[in-house]
């Protein structure tokens, strides 16, 4: 029997155990709101590396942020109070520019020349046990400390192994928000706009500061606040005051604000007769407007313009070219240091293949754009599909600054319901060789100035950020924001390494988790391609909302180039879009050897086969299967991979807090159901043309075609 004393003690023990379990549980039950600033557990370099103090002798709002960030992160990492020093001392982190005497003494001058305004150096001086983070500007020092903290949390050995010198690949690393002024987000799947326009300028959403911190941690240095389908009202004085409030908040983090503008603003807001870019009154209107913006926001970045595209107004409405429109705005912005990002996303329901139209319109304008204009080109020639070959404008406009635009929000890859890590998509695109100047004329090297030299450089990603607690809708969609930022900084990084980095900072550094999930992430986009649009198929999704499969979609009177049939061309003879020399001849827009390779179905990579060719159902693939059988296998493989990902995720339960574990599990169930939906819809529909059997070794459809056609999709 327990004595009274013992039983009291055991109650106390049970209480303590329960209490500590409870606090463990509650502190570990993450909701995703902390993004990649969640896990600060492992920071072991070796027993001797325990920095315990910070020495910064310069001051600015940004240096203040640096101090706060270091204090916060290092006390979590090293589990001790971090001291702030007035001089350098053993065991300190010393951050600053060459205005700091100790830094000037310790870092070679040449390094400062190499890193420019945004690069940094991290140097560990082992004799003194001091880590220096040096840069030419406070913003670059902020990038430096974030890099340092990232290494501490993911790969700490690097810090003591060598001097690290980093500088960004692109000058302008920009998020494009498709946020409307009413708080909705076009193609946004994570809630409403984080700007909360209605509260501004009086009240600022506290999330904007966290947003700035997250972007600065990646080196993102610009943000376009509003949708490219631009509401002219954004340029009204009341709105500009709201924009100013956001710009003021983002400034210490090195983030400049840009706006999408409507080309008809002079007519709509100014009451002018037209918005002709050569009309002196129009120019005067824009000049006055730009002046008023810079009075409020002295470091305003410039304008993003979607002109003469999908119903948006533009210079062609007045018989002027894209160059005339862009240059007019650029000339006005130039004295203020602003730029124009002019989109090349143009196509019309003409007889011409949509995949050629941007090239046909823009290529002849090469050399006509002024030097503060960038042409913003989507990665593929159609529209952010799960897979497209690269847009042939890349490499073809030697005398024009071209900036890549990728879509971080997953309009065509399952919204925020499907796990699809976009690193492989982004790097496949950036590393595509255009062969325009021989081997290794990759898009990364063209657009970062490594090949044609001396132009303004930039890259844009359409943001997937919203008011959802976890910012992006799916916990794993945070990785897409992250990988965009990391590649914008260094377009040569391994996207698998980036996935590992993100996993370690967001969940745990346990190798069993990191390696398994990095593999899942790396394979996830290919799985989506397989269950949605394998072998070069594209644009099979539902009308307007773009969710789910509708290869049969037919809307009386609709633009043909908005209907799936335009792209898949399935009939009893076969399937695919003939863009070879016997078809639309889009292949001619590519340089050799790509042109010949894409033109010949025997040489064309399988992944682009039906993008460039219309082939018979019994066409022999290189693996010996006929086309129909291969298509069935690809769709099934996509589904099986999702099943595998889900099973692997279930094995991760012990590594992940319950909330995020359950939320991701639920999304994975949805993804599996929808992968099956895609497979069944596409195969059953295409089977009506092929008349061939689904191979018996593959799972049978669980739906009927009739049921799916009548399903009536109700996306989020
Ligand atoms: O992909 C299409 C989207 C539109 C978008 C357009 C664009 C902002 O469906 O919603 O409009 O691209 O990029 O301009």
């Amino acid at each position: 029997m327990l004595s009274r004393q013992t039983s009291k003690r055991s109650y106390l023990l049970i209480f303590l155990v329960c209490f500590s379990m409870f606090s463990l549980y509650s502190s570990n039950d993450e909701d995703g709101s902390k993004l990649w600033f969640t896990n600060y557990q492992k920071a072991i370099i070796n027993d001797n590396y325990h920095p315990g103090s910070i020495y910064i002798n310069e001051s600015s709002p940004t240096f203040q942020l640096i101090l706060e960030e270091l204090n916060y992160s290092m006390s979590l990492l090293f589990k001790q109070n971090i001291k702030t020093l007035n001089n350098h001392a053993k065991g300190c982190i010393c951050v600053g520019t060459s205005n700091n005497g100790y830094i000037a003494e310790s870092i070679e001058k040449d390094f400062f020349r190499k890193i420019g305004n945004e690069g940094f150096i991290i140097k560990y001086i082992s004799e003194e046990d001091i880590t220096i983070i040096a840069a030419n500007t406070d913003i670059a020092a902020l990038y430096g400390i974030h890099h340092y903290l990232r290494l501490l949390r993911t790969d700490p050995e690097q810090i003591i192994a060598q001097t690290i010198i980093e500088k960004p690949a692109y000058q302008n690393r920009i998020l494009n928000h498709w946020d409307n002024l009413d708080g909705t987000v076009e193609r946004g799947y994570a809630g409403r706009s984080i700007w909360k326009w209605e509260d501004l300028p009086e009240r600022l959403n506290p999330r904007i500061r966290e947003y700035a911190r997250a972007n600065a941690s990646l080196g993102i240095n610009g943000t376009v606040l509003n949708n490219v389908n631009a509401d002219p009202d954004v340029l009204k004085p009341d709105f500009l005051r709201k924009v100013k409030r956001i710009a003021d908040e983002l400034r210490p983090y090195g983030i400049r604000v840009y706006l999408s503008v409507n080309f008809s603003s002079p007519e709509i807001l100014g009451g002018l007769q037209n918005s002709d870019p050569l009309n002196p009154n129009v120019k005067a209107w824009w000049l006055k407007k730009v002046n008023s913006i810079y009075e409020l926001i002295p470091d305003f970045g410039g304008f993003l313009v979607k002109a003469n595209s999908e119903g948006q107004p533009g210079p062609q409405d007045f018989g002027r070219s894209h160059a005339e429109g862009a240059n007019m705005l650029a000339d006005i912005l130039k004295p203020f240091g602003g730029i124009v990002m002019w989109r090349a996303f143009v196509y019309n329901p003409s007889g011409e293949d949509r995949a050629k139209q941007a090239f046909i319109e823009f290529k002849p304008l090469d050399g006509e754009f002024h030097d503060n204009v960038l042409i913003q080109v989507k990665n593929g020639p159609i529209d952010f599909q799960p897979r497209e070959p690269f847009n042939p404008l890349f490499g073809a406009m030697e005398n024009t600054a071209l900036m890549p635009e990728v879509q971080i929000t997953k309009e065509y890859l399952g919204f925020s319901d499907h796990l699809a890590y976009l690193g492989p998509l982004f790097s496949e695109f950036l590393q595509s060789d255009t062969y325009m100047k021989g081997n290794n004329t990759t898009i990364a090297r063209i657009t970062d100035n490594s090949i044609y030299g001396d132009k303004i450089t930039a890259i844009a990603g359409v943001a997937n950020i919203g008011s959802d607690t976890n910012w992006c809708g799916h916990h794993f969609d945070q990785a897409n924001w992250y990988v965009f930022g990391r590649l914008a900084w260094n377009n040569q990084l391994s996207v698998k390494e980036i996935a590992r980095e993100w996993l370690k900072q967001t969940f745990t550094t346990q190798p069993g988790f990191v390696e398994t999930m990095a593999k899942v992430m790396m394979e996830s986009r290919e799985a989506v391609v397989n269950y949605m649009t394998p072998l070069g198929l594209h644009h099979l999704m539902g009308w307007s909302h773009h969710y789910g499969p509708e290869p049969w979609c037919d809307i009386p009177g609709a633009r043909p180039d908005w209907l799936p049939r335009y792209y898949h061309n399935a009939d009893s003879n076969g399937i695919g879009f003939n863009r070879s020399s016997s078809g639309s001849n889009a292949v001619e827009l590519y340089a050799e050897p790509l042109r010949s390779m894409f033109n010949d179905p025997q040489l064309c990579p399988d992944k682009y086969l039906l993008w460039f060719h219309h082939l018979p159902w019994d066409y022999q693939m290189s693996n010996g299967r006929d086309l129909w059988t291969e298509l069935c296998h690809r769709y099934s493989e996509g589904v099986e991979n999702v099943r595998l990902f889900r099973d692997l995720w279930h094995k991760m339960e012990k590594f992940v807090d319950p909330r995020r574990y359950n939320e991701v599990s639920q999304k994975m169930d949805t993804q599996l159901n929808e992968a099956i939906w895609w497979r069944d819809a596409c195969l059953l529909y295409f089977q009506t043309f092929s008349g061939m059997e689904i191979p018996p070794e593959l799972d049978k459809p669980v739906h009927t075609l009739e049921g799916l056609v009548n399903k009536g999709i109700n996306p989020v």
Side-chain angles (χ1 to χ4, degrees):
M1 233 171 85
L2 291 172
S3 72
R4 221 183 140 75
Q5 193 63 23
T6 327
S7 90
K8 239 188 176 170
R9 240 188 264 139
S10 51
Y11 280 125
L12 185 67
L13 197 69
I14 290 167
F15 170 76
L16 283 176
V17 170
C18 290
F19 180 77
S20 61
M21 271 175 64
F22 173 74
S23 40
L24 191 78
Y25 176 87
S26 54
S27 67
N28 282 349
D29 207 17
E30 298 291 348
D31 58 12
S33 60
K34 289 188 244 158
L35 293 166
W36 42 93
F37 305 103
T38 304
N39 179 35
Y40 282 86
Q41 271 157 2
K42 287 261 160 72
I44 301 155
I45 297 193
N46 60 37
D47 287 346
N48 304 323
Y49 193 78
H50 285 292
S53 54
I54 303 169
Y55 167 49
I56 298 176
N57 78 348
E58 290 159 275
S59 65
S60 71
T62 304
F63 274 117
Q64 188 54 36
L65 291 174
I66 290 175
L67 191 62
E68 283 165 20
E69 185 71 53
L70 279 175
N71 249 315
Y72 171 81
S73 306
M74 287 171 58
S75 49
L76 284 173
L77 284 164
F78 296 106
K79 309 211 170 15
Q80 57 177 312
N81 284 332
I82 305 296
K83 288 192 237 68
T84 309
L85 308 178
N86 294 323
N87 212 332
H88 67 280
K90 196 170 167 13
C92 82
I93 312 282
C94 172
V95 188
T97 69
S98 56
N99 292 331
N100 177 319
Y102 175 67
I103 291 182
E105 247 167 51
S106 316
I107 305 281
E108 294 88 293
K109 285 214 167 46
D110 201 36
F111 282 180
F112 282 108
R113 268 194 293 276
K114 276 191 196 147
I115 56 176
N117 276 342
E118 290 194 299
F120 55 81
I121 299 149
I122 303 176
K123 182 173 181 180
Y124 178 63
I125 305 182
S126 55
E127 312 82 67
E128 302 180 65
D129 188 20
I130 292 180
T131 312
I132 297 178
I133 301 171
N136 287 314
T137 62
D138 54 358
I139 301 290
L142 179 64
Y143 296 153
I145 65 117
H146 275 295
H147 192 77
Y148 169 71
L149 293 169
R150 173 167 48 241
L151 288 176
L152 278 178
R153 295 165 62 203
T154 60
D155 191 8
E157 294 295 335
Q158 273 198 48
I159 295 168
I160 50 176
Q162 77 242 321
T163 300
I164 294 165
I165 304 178
E166 288 265 336
K167 66 177 201 176
Y170 297 96
Q171 293 150 9
N172 302 289
R173 305 170 296 279
I174 301 183
L175 286 179
N176 287 186
H177 289 265
W178 287 356
D179 293 19
N180 297 314
L181 307 189
D182 65 1
T184 58
V185 181
E186 181 154 346
R187 310 305 177 189
Y189 314 109
R192 292 173 62 79
S193 168
I194 60 166
W195 310 131
K196 293 201 172 190
W197 295 113
E198 65 281 11
D199 290 353
L200 289 165
E202 290 79 17
R203 272 170 299 135
L204 189 90
N205 181 1
R207 261 215 158 173
I208 295 177
R209 176 172 285 232
E210 296 170 51
Y211 163 88
R213 175 192 183 211
N215 282 329
S217 79
L218 305 172
I220 288 172
N221 66 358
T223 178
V224 182
L225 299 181
N226 61 318
N227 192 352
V228 283
N229 290 328
D231 187 332
D233 282 0
V234 78
L235 293 179
K236 282 186 171 167
D238 278 2
F239 242 97
L240 291 176
R241 277 191 286 279
K242 297 171 192 268
V243 174
K244 173 192 164 48
R245 182 76 201 269
I246 298 175
D248 289 345
E249 185 75 1
L250 301 185
R251 187 167 299 113
Y253 294 88
I255 300 167
R256 293 172 93 184
V257 154
Y258 299 74
L259 292 176
S260 296
V261 294
N262 184 303
F263 204 77
S264 290
S265 298
E267 283 163 89
I268 300 172
L269 294 184
L272 268 59
Q273 279 199 330
N274 60 44
S275 298
D276 180 350
L278 301 193
N279 173 350
N281 295 334
V282 169
K283 288 190 203 173
W285 186 89
W286 280 110
L287 179 61
K288 200 164 163 224
K289 185 52 74 184
V290 166
N291 252 312
S292 73
I293 297 176
Y294 279 92
E295 262 167 34
L296 292 170
I297 309 165
D299 58 351
F300 179 71
F303 294 147
L304 171 63
V305 191
K306 172 174 176 179
N308 295 119
S309 157
E310 297 188 330
Q312 293 298 314
Q316 292 177 337
D317 303 348
F318 312 97
R320 313 296 181 196
S321 71
H322 283 287
E324 285 168 316
N327 291 341
M328 180 272 293
L329 291 174
D331 293 350
I332 289 170
L333 286 160
K334 180 134 186 180
F336 302 93
I339 61 172
V340 169
M341 297 168 286
W342 192 269
R343 293 176 93 227
F345 180 62
V346 294
Y347 64 103
N348 284 304
S350 67
E352 190 53 271
D353 175 3
R354 175 173 167 187
K356 291 172 69 179
Q357 292 188 32
F359 191 100
I360 292 169
E361 268 195 60
F362 276 85
K363 165 76 180 161
L365 299 175
D366 189 21
E368 288 189 21
F369 293 96
H370 294 174
D371 62 3
N372 59 331
V373 177
L374 290 130
I375 302 302
Q376 181 165 314
V377 184
K378 290 188 182 184
N379 57 287
I382 298 288
D383 190 12
F384 299 138
Q385 292 295 294
R387 169 167 280 130
E388 298 188 31
F390 68 84
N391 190 320
L393 275 172
F394 291 107
M397 292 185 72
E398 221 173 294
N399 303 307
T400 306
L402 246 56
M403 66 184 283
E405 175 180 346
V406 295
Q407 196 179 39
I408 306 170
T409 188
K410 304 205 311 298
E411 176 178 357
Y412 300 105
L413 288 99
F415 291 9
S416 56
D417 291 332
H418 296 199
L419 192 162
Y421 172 53
L422 301 179
L425 190 165
F426 297 163
S427 77
E428 175 178 290
F429 156 65
L430 288 168
Q431 298 311 328
S432 292
D433 200 339
T434 65
Y435 295 97
M436 282 290 177
K437 294 269 167 202
N439 285 352
N440 204 16
T441 319
T442 61
I443 290 171
R445 299 184 67 238
I446 291 169
T447 53
D448 73 8
N449 264 351
S450 306
I451 309 240
Y452 302 141
D454 216 24
K455 290 192 200 79
I456 177 172
T457 62
I459 186 165
V462 181
N464 63 349
I465 297 160
S467 58
D468 276 9
T469 306
N470 72 9
W471 295 84
C472 303
H474 194 307
H475 290 290
F476 277 77
D477 278 335
Q478 296 177 357
N480 293 327
W481 175 7
Y482 186 90
V483 69
F484 168 76
R486 295 288 286 133
L487 288 174
W489 181 270
N490 180 350
N491 57 20
Q492 302 299 327
L493 288 176
S494 140
V495 290
K496 185 159 190 186
E497 258 326 300
I498 298 174
R500 288 196 183 103
E501 255 178 30
W502 176 80
L503 286 163
K504 288 179 187 173
Q505 297 170 90
T506 308
F507 289 97
T508 169
T509 53
Q510 299 274 337
F513 176 83
V514 173
E515 289 312 309
T516 310
M517 289 315 294
K519 194 165 178 318
V520 167
M521 287 168 75
M522 287 303 290
E523 290 172 12
S524 58
R525 178 269 189 147
E526 201 61 38
V528 175
V529 170
N530 279 329
Y531 65 71
M532 289 188 182
T533 50
L535 298 175
L537 288 172
H538 48 293
H539 214 290
L540 303 181
M541 69 289 161
W543 172 260
S544 161
H545 49 66
H546 296 171
Y547 196 73
E550 268 186 28
W552 50 78
C553 176
D554 193 8
I555 294 187
R559 276 174 67 156
D561 55 351
W562 283 355
L563 292 172
R565 180 169 308 143
Y566 175 93
Y567 302 94
H568 65 64
N569 294 294
D571 57 23
S572 57
N573 297 324
I575 182 169
F577 199 125
N578 184 1
R579 296 191 166 107
S580 75
S581 48
S582 66
S584 80
N585 205 17
V587 293
E588 77 169 343
L589 308 183
Y590 294 91
E592 289 293 7
L594 293 178
R595 185 184 303 161
S596 303
M597 196 199 285
F598 291 158
N599 195 39
D600 180 350
Q602 300 290 330
L603 301 175
C604 183
D606 285 354
K607 61 184 177 185
Y608 301 135
L609 195 61
L610 302 177
W611 183 280
F612 288 113
H613 299 278
H614 187 269
L615 296 171
W617 296 106
D618 61 357
Y619 173 80
Q620 286 297 298
M621 304 290 295
S622 53
N623 64 7
R625 288 185 184 136
D626 61 61
L627 175 60
W628 166 253
T629 306
E630 181 63 13
L631 206 59
C632 294
H633 274 268
R634 294 289 176 122
Y635 273 107
S636 299
E637 196 179 311
V639 171
E640 288 324 308
N641 281 334
V642 175
R643 210 186 300 279
L644 177 70
F645 301 157
R646 194 185 60 156
D647 294 347
L648 287 169
W649 178 252
H650 289 160
K651 296 206 170 83
M652 298 297 105
E653 185 166 9
K654 59 178 180 287
F655 296 114
V656 185
D657 52 282
R659 177 165 174 172
R660 286 188 299 176
Y661 174 76
N662 288 325
E663 286 174 355
V664 172
S665 296
Q666 281 163 18
K667 295 257 180 189
M668 286 197 151
D669 290 344
T670 305
Q671 184 174 6
L672 180 56
N673 286 335
E674 296 190 347
I676 293 171
W677 173 26
W678 269 93
R679 177 198 67 191
D680 289 1
C682 295
L683 288 183
L684 290 171
Y685 174 70
F686 292 139
Q687 192 177 34
T688 63
F689 302 104
S690 80
M692 294 162 83
E693 289 305 314
I694 295 176
E697 67 273 19
L698 302 178
D699 283 352
K700 302 216 169 348
V702 298
H703 302 91
T704 62
L705 182 57
E706 203 191 7
L708 289 173
V709 171
N710 296 330
K711 185 174 155 100
I713 301 155
N714 191 14
V716 282

